[in-house]
Amino acid sequence: MYVVVVYDTLAKRNAAILRLCRQYLHHVQRSVFEGALSPAQLRRFRHAVEDVIDAGYDSVLVFTFPPGTTPERQEWGIAQPAPSDIL
Amino acid sequence: MYVVVVYDTLAKRNAAILRLCRQYLHHVQRSVFEGALSPAQLRRFRHAVEDVIDAGYDSVLVFTFPPGTTPERQEWGIAQPAPSDIL
């Protein structure tokens, strides 16, 4: 299924969550990732995220779409920074 | 159609873009909004956003879904802050 993930974590955990998201998904904005995951991949990703975040402070939103549908993404303003510009 | 909006703007423009998003959408995370907009509402929202942002610096991602579909949203970690906690 297609997912969009947006995280809002304490700065000191940003690098870890960024690395983890990159293992599973495509980077589309500073703290936004998207991509297709199987249900099993999504479960593994969730467990890995829960190992990294502080569930009492950090927030990770995951939008999942019905099978066979994908979002259309518009970029208003500047296009995504080059990967090397992102941390 | 259902939309999810994520903005990444210079801090001094955050309050303006937040106010604008609140006029059209439901606040789900610090810089994330979602809701249903007609094509005409989406056009008006886009024009209003483009009046507020610096298109050479700010980025606003808009995910739109096919008519009749809505994303399922999961919250991992802490639930969204109360509206009064958000700026």
Side-chain angles (χ1 to χ4, degrees):
Chain A
M1 75 195 81
Y2 210 84
V3 304
V4 171
V5 173
V6 189
Y7 61 80
D8 181 9
T9 51
L10 192 66
K12 69 177 182 181
R13 286 185 289 274
N14 284 352
I17 189 87
L18 178 71
R19 270 197 306 275
L20 179 58
C21 287
R22 278 185 172 151
Q23 291 173 24
Y24 286 84
L25 299 161
H26 174 64
H27 201 174
V28 290
Q29 198 195 58
R30 192 167 47 133
S31 58
V32 186
F33 287 77
E34 65 173 56
L37 296 179
S38 70
Q41 286 174 318
L42 183 60
R43 277 195 301 274
R44 282 200 298 275
F45 177 58
R46 178 174 188 156
H47 292 151
V49 166
E50 289 174 341
D51 282 346
V52 165
I53 65 175
D54 175 345
Y57 183 90
D58 302 326
S59 164
V60 179
L61 288 184
V62 182
F63 298 95
T64 62
F65 307 97
T69 68
T70 57
E72 181 192 331
R73 174 162 48 85
Q74 301 179 23
E75 297 180 358
W76 301 349
I78 200 162
Q80 66 166 122
S84 60
D85 294 339
I86 298 171
L87 232 192
Chain B
M1 74 195 82
Y2 210 83
V3 304
V4 171
V5 173
V6 189
Y7 62 79
D8 181 8
T9 52
L10 192 65
K12 68 177 181 181
R13 286 186 288 276
N14 284 352
I17 190 87
L18 178 71
R19 269 197 307 275
L20 179 58
C21 287
R22 279 184 172 152
Q23 291 173 26
Y24 286 86
L25 299 162
H26 174 65
H27 202 172
V28 290
Q29 198 196 58
R30 191 166 50 132
S31 59
V32 186
F33 287 78
E34 65 174 54
L37 295 179
S38 70
Q41 285 174 318
L42 183 61
R43 277 196 301 275
R44 283 200 297 275
F45 177 58
R46 178 173 188 157
H47 292 150
V49 166
E50 290 175 339
D51 283 346
V52 165
I53 65 174
D54 175 344
Y57 183 89
D58 302 325
S59 164
V60 179
L61 288 184
V62 182
F63 298 94
T64 61
F65 308 98
T69 67
T70 56
E72 180 193 333
R73 174 162 48 82
Q74 302 180 23
E75 296 181 357
W76 302 349
I78 199 163
Q80 67 166 121
S84 60
D85 294 339
I86 298 170
L87 233 194

